[in-house]
């Protein structure tokens, strides 16, 4: 059924007149106290003969169409499309009536709904109707010469989630400078989800009370010799439930530019309901990429759609300089390793001005051991991954700081050749990776993914060479003229060397 036909069916006066209803469930029903995720606001039901049609309107996903609606044992039962859950492509919903008031139960993704409502009118339905926005056709590839090397900086999400504010962002900028992290190459201070307020009468998005003056904030960060980033979603709601850019893409891009931002992370949250296939996802990202370009301000564009639809093959075309290859990282070895080893994107897509992004660093947050964090840093450097720290910079201890500012390791990540390293040899939980560098040397990483220490050998052939004349340990700085017979690699640890030879 088309949206126009559906709207026409619901425009009839009989929809809101209980006396003319074909079933007790026919009409408009309102919900004022629904949880914000997915933000149910209304249910509309219409029957004609034995056929029932209906939908539930939400703030996150707009109208959720009822599938196979029927009345059984005095309840209205239906299925609804479910997202992000391959094991449950649909979910069961039900509506019961008590004293003429509906009780609605159901689930979408991680959101379980069990709410009570009341009868509304046609006027209410018009007021709460979701307003669709047309998605432009896919435009021409958007040229970009930003991010010659993977971006480096800090993002608020891993440590603070949506509990971020102006004061904390300024403190992170201060700590970035005082700690020496800025001088080591970390230049971006990125505000993730949680800054958004409401739109004004013209549709311009305002920051919430935690961010009283965005332009003053960006000026402060810029004065520190740093750059600053912001976050949005192409859906009606962001992952934390704040206002997204749906229907306001060009307006939001202009606001970001006017405020002085240098980076945008654009998340698919709630947009995945509207943009569920490769065509619409590409078009929605291109829409914002073109809008950013139209502002005239250079902004790094970070695509966050979790690696769907082979994003590395088209990320550059929509204006992106980096694109997530996976879901969110968490501060534990198992998740980090699965992402870094197995979900780090197609190496063929990575290179200057376009990078596979396995998500932010967790180093410093305390959930892993020193050896596990060293594997984390080594793996991201070998993968030419963006290095976005995610801990409280004010609480960086000496060991964490040494790990994050190791210039030899950073140089591998930032190498001008831009090659994403990959495994050249695997034996059970033991892996040897190689990454050719711009100066003709080769970085070799030895990873032990087991829970027991291991002895690992590495050869010139692993680096694509016939002989080795120089070896430099990237963590210790020690040098030698030949590879040792073997390396002792701690459980869940790593060794990182750069070799020179023929």
């Amino acid at each position: 059924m088309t949206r126009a036909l559906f709207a026409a069916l619901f425009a009839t006066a009989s929809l809101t007149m209980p006396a003319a209803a074909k079933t007790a469930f026919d009409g408009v029903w309102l919900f004022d106290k629904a949880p914000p995720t997915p933000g149910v606001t209304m249910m509309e039901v219409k029957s004609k003969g034995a056929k029932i049609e209906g939908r539930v309107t939400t703030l996150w996903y707009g109208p959720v169409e009822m599938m196979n609606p029927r009345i059984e044992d005095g309840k209205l039962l239906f299925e609804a499309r479910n997202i992000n859950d391959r094991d449950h492509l649909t979910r069961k919903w039900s509506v019961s009536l008590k004293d003429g008031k509906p009780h609605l139960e159901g689930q979408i993704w991680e959101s379980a709904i069990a709410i009570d409502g009341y009868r509304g009118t046609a006027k209410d339905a018009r007021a709460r109707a979701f307003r669709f926005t047309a998605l432009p056709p896919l435009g021409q590839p958007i040229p970009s010469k930003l991010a010659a090397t993977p971006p480096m900086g800090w993002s608020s999400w891993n440590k603070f989630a949506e509990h971020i504010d102006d004061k904390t962002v300024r403190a992170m900028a201060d700590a970035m400078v005082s700690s020496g992290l800025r001088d080591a190459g970390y230049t971006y201070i990125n505000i993730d989800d949680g800054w958004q307020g409401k739109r004004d009468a013209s549709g311009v998005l305002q920051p919430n009370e935690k961010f009283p003056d965005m332009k003053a904030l960006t000026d402060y960060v810029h004065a520190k010799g740093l750059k600053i980033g912001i976050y949005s979603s192409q859906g009606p709601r962001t992952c934390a439930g704040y206002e997204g850019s749906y229907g306001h893409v060009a307006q939001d891009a202009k606001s970001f530019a006017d405020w002085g931002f240098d980076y945008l992370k654009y998340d698919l949250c709630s947009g995945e309901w509207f943009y569920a296939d490769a065509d619409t996802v590409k078009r929605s990202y291109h829409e914002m990429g073109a809008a950013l370009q139209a502002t005239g301000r250079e902004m790094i564009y970070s695509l966050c759609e979790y690696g769907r639809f082979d994003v590395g093959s088209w990320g550059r075309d929509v204006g992106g300089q980096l694109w997530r290859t996976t879901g969110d990282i968490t501060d534990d070895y198992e998740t980090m390793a699965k992402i870094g080893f197995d979900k780090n994107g197609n190496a063929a897509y990575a290179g200057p001005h376009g990078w596979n992004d396995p998500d932010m660093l967790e180093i410093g947050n305390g959930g892993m051991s020193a050896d596990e964090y060293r594997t984390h840093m080594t793996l991201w450097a070998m993968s030419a991954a963006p290095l976005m720290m995610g801990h409280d910079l004010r609480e960086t201890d000496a060991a964490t700081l040494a790990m994050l500012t190791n210039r030899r390791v950073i140089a591998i990540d930032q190498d001008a050749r831009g090659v994403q390293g990959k495994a050249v040899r695997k034996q059970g939980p033991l892996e040897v990776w190689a990454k050719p560098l711009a100066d003709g040397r080769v970085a070799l990483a030895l990873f032990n993914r087991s829970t027991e220490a291991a002895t690992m050998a590495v050869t010139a052939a692993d680096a694509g060479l016939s002989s080795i004349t120089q070896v430099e340990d990237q963590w210790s700085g020690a040098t030698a003229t030949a590879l040792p017979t073997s390396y002792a690699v701690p459980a869940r640890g790593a060794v990182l060397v750069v070799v020179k030879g023929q």
Side-chain angles (χ1 to χ4, degrees):
M1 176 179 292
T2 67
R3 289 174 182 158
L5 178 57
F6 201 91
L9 287 170
F10 276 85
T12 62
S14 62
L15 181 65
T16 59
M17 295 175 61
K22 300 293 183 63
T23 77
F25 299 94
D26 278 45
V28 174
W29 306 92
L30 307 180
F31 303 91
D32 294 338
K33 298 180 180 180
T37 308
V40 174
T41 62
M42 177 172 62
M43 179 178 70
E44 300 166 275
V45 180
K46 181 178 178 63
S47 61
K48 185 176 182 180
K51 186 176 183 181
I52 301 173
E53 296 170 339
R55 59 185 175 185
V56 175
T57 297
T58 73
L59 296 175
W60 276 63
Y61 307 124
V64 177
E65 308 293 345
M66 295 181 180
M67 302 167 61
N68 187 31
R70 70 269 184 200
I71 296 175
E72 295 180 5
D73 298 326
K75 290 186 176 182
L76 173 61
L77 307 179
F78 59 96
E79 286 76 48
R81 171 185 164 210
N82 198 39
I83 58 174
N84 299 330
D85 189 345
R86 295 179 181 177
D87 295 328
H88 305 91
L89 297 179
T90 62
R91 285 287 189 181
K92 294 180 180 180
W93 289 59
S94 69
V95 186
S96 58
L97 292 176
K98 184 178 180 180
D99 298 328
K101 295 182 178 181
H103 178 75
L104 175 67
E105 294 189 10
Q107 183 173 346
I108 296 181
W109 184 218
E110 296 177 337
S111 302
I113 299 100
I115 52 175
D116 297 319
Y118 58 96
R119 187 175 287 280
T121 67
K123 182 179 179 181
D124 294 324
R126 289 191 295 270
R128 299 193 183 201
F130 184 82
R131 291 166 176 80
F132 286 97
T133 296
L135 184 62
L138 185 65
Q140 293 299 311
I142 299 172
S144 171
K145 288 299 179 183
L146 302 178
T149 59
M152 296 174 60
W154 174 88
S155 175
S156 60
W157 184 258
N158 284 3
K159 179 64 178 181
F160 299 100
E162 70 270 29
H163 307 294
I164 187 66
D165 56 31
D166 178 283
K167 180 180 178 180
T168 303
V169 173
R170 290 173 187 254
M172 293 303 107
D174 294 344
M176 187 83 91
V177 175
S178 64
S179 65
L181 285 162
R182 179 196 63 184
D183 295 337
Y186 297 92
T187 56
Y188 287 94
I189 297 288
N190 290 348
I191 306 166
D192 207 278
D193 208 350
W195 65 267
Q196 307 89 331
K198 301 297 182 182
R199 297 189 181 276
D200 65 18
S202 299
V204 177
L205 182 57
Q206 305 298 313
N208 60 40
E209 65 280 358
K210 298 184 296 179
F211 291 88
D213 189 333
M214 279 297 197
K215 186 64 172 66
L217 178 57
T218 63
D219 286 346
Y220 183 88
V221 173
H222 289 149
K224 297 285 182 179
L226 299 166
K227 296 184 177 182
I228 185 167
I230 199 166
Y231 166 101
S232 190
S233 165
Q234 60 263 66
R237 289 291 184 271
T238 65
C239 292
Y242 289 79
E243 189 79 17
S245 289
Y246 185 87
H248 300 273
V249 172
Q251 275 184 315
D252 288 358
K254 184 178 185 303
S255 291
F256 303 152
D258 290 346
W259 287 334
F261 282 98
D262 309 293
Y263 185 115
L264 171 66
K265 176 182 172 182
Y266 203 43
D267 208 334
L268 191 58
C269 269
S270 81
E272 57 206 346
W273 184 270
F274 304 88
Y275 313 129
D277 56 30
D279 174 62
T280 52
V281 167
K282 290 177 187 178
R283 287 160 59 195
S284 68
Y285 276 98
H286 190 283
E287 181 182 21
M288 178 56 85
L292 293 175
Q293 186 184 55
T295 68
R297 183 175 181 81
E298 289 189 344
M299 281 183 268
I300 293 289
Y301 185 28
S302 171
L303 316 183
C304 184
E305 50 89 274
Y306 331 120
R308 296 177 178 179
F309 310 116
D310 198 24
V311 62
S313 66
W314 51 266
R316 295 171 191 264
D317 290 343
V318 299
Q321 286 80 42
L322 61 157
W323 40 83
R324 280 276 292 279
T325 59
T326 178
D328 288 357
I329 194 170
T330 52
D331 190 21
D332 59 90
Y333 178 82
E334 290 79 6
T335 303
M336 180 278 293
K338 181 178 181 180
I339 287 173
F341 287 107
D342 306 324
K343 300 287 186 179
N344 59 347
N346 187 333
Y349 298 145
H353 315 295
W355 308 99
N356 289 318
D357 177 12
D359 206 7
M360 297 167 281
L361 296 171
E362 290 282 7
I363 298 166
N365 280 326
M368 290 183 250
S369 69
D371 285 328
E372 291 168 345
Y373 277 139
R374 181 172 290 191
T375 291
H376 189 4
M377 187 72 178
T378 300
L379 187 51
W380 262 237
M382 288 294 290
S383 298
L387 300 179
M388 289 292 168
M389 299 176 291
H391 69 294
D392 188 334
L393 301 181
R394 297 166 296 189
E395 300 175 359
T396 309
D397 61 31
T400 297
L401 185 63
M403 185 177 294
L404 290 168
T405 58
N406 183 306
R407 293 178 183 272
R408 293 177 296 270
V409 177
I410 290 173
I412 292 173
D413 177 81
Q414 296 287 296
D415 184 70
R417 189 170 174 181
V419 174
Q420 178 173 317
K422 54 186 177 181
V424 294
R425 183 156 51 87
K426 296 183 181 182
Q427 184 176 358
L430 309 181
E431 300 188 13
V432 177
W433 285 44
K435 174 179 165 66
L437 304 177
D439 63 4
R441 298 184 302 161
V442 180
L444 292 173
L446 287 68
F447 295 108
N448 175 12
R449 299 178 65 177
S450 77
T451 56
E452 302 290 337
T455 299
M456 296 181 65
V458 64
T459 67
D462 291 323
L465 302 171
S466 58
S467 63
I468 300 294
T469 58
Q470 185 183 68
V471 181
E472 181 182 51
D473 187 305
Q474 299 302 282
W475 284 111
S476 70
T479 59
T481 57
L483 287 167
T485 303
S486 61
Y487 285 95
V489 187
R492 294 180 168 178
V495 169
L496 179 60
V497 298
V498 168
V499 299
K500 180 180 181 180
Q502 297 179 341

